[in-house]
Amino acid sequence: MIGSHLLSVLLAAGDTAHASDHGHHSAHFPVALPTEGLGYAGLVLALPLIAMILNGVYAISGVRSKLPAWTTVACLGTAFAVVLNLYLKADIEHPVVVPLFEWINLSWGTGAISAPFGLYLDSLTLLWMLFVTGLGTLIALYASEYMESDVGPAYCRFFGGVSIFLLAMGCLVMGDNLLTLYLGWEGVGFASYMLIGYHFTKPSAVAAAKKAFIVNRIGDLGLALGIYLTWLHFGTLEYSELFKMLQADGAMAAAQQAMAGGWEVAIIPFLLMAGAFGKSAQLPFYVWLPDAMEGPTPVSALIHAATMVTAGVYLLVRTFPMLELHPAAAPTVAWVGGATALLAATIGMAQYDIKRVMAYSTVSQLGYMFMGVGVLSTFGAAAHVFTHAFFKAVLFLTCGAIMHGFAGQLDLRVLRGLRHVKGWRIVVWTMFYASLCLAGFPIISSGYWSKDVILAEAFANGRPILGGLGLLTAGLTAYYTFRVWFRVCCGPKPDDHDLAKMMGDDHHGDDHHSDDHNGDGHGEEDHHHHMPHAPKWAVNLVLSVISLAAIGSIFLVPEHGWLEHMVAKSSGAGGVGANHHDLPADAGFWADPHGWMKYVASTVGLLGMAVAAWLHLLNRSAADRLRAALLASPLKAIVRAMENKWYVDELYNALIRMPLKIKGHTLHMLDRYVLDILVVDGLGRLPKMIGRTLSPLQNGVLQSYAASMAGGVILIALLILVLPMLLDLLGGAA
């Protein structure tokens, strides 16, 4: 019904859209601008909805073909074309509100609540939706081949979940108010639960899905409270109205709003960032994301690259002026991001499962993005979101191809020499370029341009310690990234024995080596002791296209380029950054971090790559010897802690999971043995016991009844005679 309603209003909505004026760089406000024809923007939401409905029909109808995949790819591809057309037609200098329908309209007495469902189109919205829909389409195409062993109801369920995911992400990004954003926010959470737990017969997948759902609910509660307080004190949830009140040249007005509203207004930015930290896996909520690897690899790419995990960054960039409601808000975001980036990097460099390495890499790079927001570089944060979406998608999809081809093998200690194996050239070299981007290799990698803006802004804004943490993280990132590539793709050519070992059951890593299609009831044929299966055309095509997009982004992300222009023109995204602070004419080279950061960061990254090459390419046994030496040194505890992910999971288990489990067990025992047996069952058994005790008296013999009556009379008489005497004796004794 919603889909038909959407479709019915699409054409009519275009003539009623609103636009906004352009003021300071951090805020634009609606004005009357012609928006003829922009009503078709609603198709961006309608098309995933149609795909979802059709996949449900296919499942009910028992379709056993790739029709669900092609339907989803066609709908998402068309949605991408619509977004691209909107970018070409819309005036990014001015945001446009496209109303679709009134989805909440309640009134009582003197009060009323109304919530329109509309789309907010500005440069930030279009930027986000370009890579969300583009990568969503390519990942769905990749999944059409990757998931082919599940053709049937499970296949329909998977692509239905992908459609729901993209629909919810569209609501989150394109909604014109915080309430619509929250609708998409929860929709993304539901879809991720469904996709992470796709293999619902595997206990580990079910546990990972529940973990993601529950941890995200904690952050979501903060976001919900923040939205409520925003509505309570500002009287609106619409971006256009909020930005009027919180425009950058009215920072004093924002402070006055906070003073007038008291602590309730001052905590709004912290509640918003709680939601952002949960969805984007920042301290202390990051624990759900590495376990999300239990979902099929296309799900990992979808969640970790461009959609769900970037939602928190989008929220803070979109509502950036609200961080001004408290002076400690932005620094908090920066330090949490920096700490998360470093912590996750130290964990990633000690893991042996390549998907887990990439998962912790995602957590670390998200930390960079939050650091960018915190040091007032919304451009740096958005730029890194943009570049990271492409190269991280490639890394996850290449990991999935390796997993799929080598029977679930992901252990760095087993895999080697992939570049020598026939049919794997595209996987090897797309993975190589994506690794260059993640490591921040100078000039030719997109990550080099986006990451350095954030680091430079940290130093430029007087936070050298934070910038130093970011540089250290960059070196560790370069190391663990090429540790993976050198281990997996390089080394001597594997012979048949080596290939059989890589295809066998002899895994030495953690428990995430099972292929997405093995051991789940949907599995493909037994691959053991067979040649690896080379990727098919769809996998190679998708990897090639996304890699080309990553290369193309090099020309878009440098300072003063296209992407900075897009962020600067967005409504609400204050700070912008690459802020070249006013410097004296005679200022030296080192006075401007934007001048020297590229050289310093490049040096650190190249050093990390060199260490990885020495330990894992030129002398592969050196890494094992180094580890053995460290374990025999006073640094043993640190090495063990890194390999065990700093025991954070154990800490959560001890402080949260076990107490809740003990509480639940205690309540269960109380319910079963106290309430049920003593109270419920006991009260029920009492009349039965009394009746059973007195039942011998009901024997039908008149003489017994007469004797009982006589006995009762005698007993009563004795009580009447004796009781007063006893009372007198007791009274005298007292």
Side-chain angles (χ1 to χ4, degrees), residues 118-144:
L119 307 180
Y120 192 84
L121 305 181
D122 71 345
S123 55
L124 187 68
T125 301
L126 295 174
L127 171 66
W128 233 268
M129 291 306 298
L130 278 171
F131 63 77
V132 166
T133 55
L135 281 175
T137 303
L138 292 170
I139 291 170
L141 179 59
Y142 175 99
S144 68

Side-chain angles (χ1 to χ4, degrees), residues 200-217:
F200 57 85
T201 57
K202 290 174 60 180
S204 58
V206 174
K210 289 194 296 184
K211 188 175 186 178
F213 189 83
I214 293 170
V215 172
N216 272 274
R217 295 292 75 70

Side-chain angles (χ1 to χ4, degrees), residues 583-587:
L583 298 171
D586 59 346

Side-chain angles (χ1 to χ4, degrees), residues 316-346:
L316 295 188
V317 173
R318 169 60 74 200
T319 62
F320 188 86
M322 300 190 75
L323 295 182
E324 298 175 351
L325 294 174
H326 196 284
T332 300
V333 173
W335 281 105
V336 170
T340 304
L342 181 60
L343 179 73
T346 60

Side-chain angles (χ1 to χ4, degrees), residues 180-253:
T180 307
L181 177 143
Y182 189 75
L183 175 67
W185 193 274
E186 293 298 330
V188 166
F190 166 75
S192 66
Y193 170 79
M194 184 170 65
L195 291 171
I196 295 170
Y198 172 77
H199 301 308
F200 57 85
T201 57
K202 290 174 60 180
S204 58
V206 174
K210 289 194 296 184
K211 188 175 186 178
F213 189 83
I214 293 170
V215 172
N216 272 274
R217 295 292 75 70
I218 300 172
D220 294 355
L221 176 61
L223 177 59
L225 291 174
I227 292 173
Y228 170 71
L229 290 177
T230 300
W231 175 77
L232 187 66
H233 289 278
F234 294 97
T236 183
L237 297 177
E238 297 183 15
Y239 297 137
S240 57
E241 296 297 323
L242 284 173
F243 298 153
K244 281 182 181 179
M245 302 177 187
L246 299 169
Q247 52 187 307
D249 54 358
M252 183 61 70

Side-chain angles (χ1 to χ4, degrees), residues 149-150 199 201-202 516-524:
S149 62
D150 287 357
H199 301 308
T201 57
K202 290 174 60 180
D516 296 334
H517 302 286
N518 290 332
D520 57 22
H522 309 285
E524 40 190 312

Side-chain angles (χ1 to χ4, degrees), residues 430-456:
T430 54
M431 188 178 186
F432 175 72
Y433 182 73
S435 298
L436 289 177
C437 293
L438 181 55
F441 190 84
I443 311 298
I444 65 171
S445 72
S446 57
Y448 164 81
W449 297 99
S450 60
K451 189 185 299 180
D452 294 351
V453 173
I454 298 172
L455 297 176

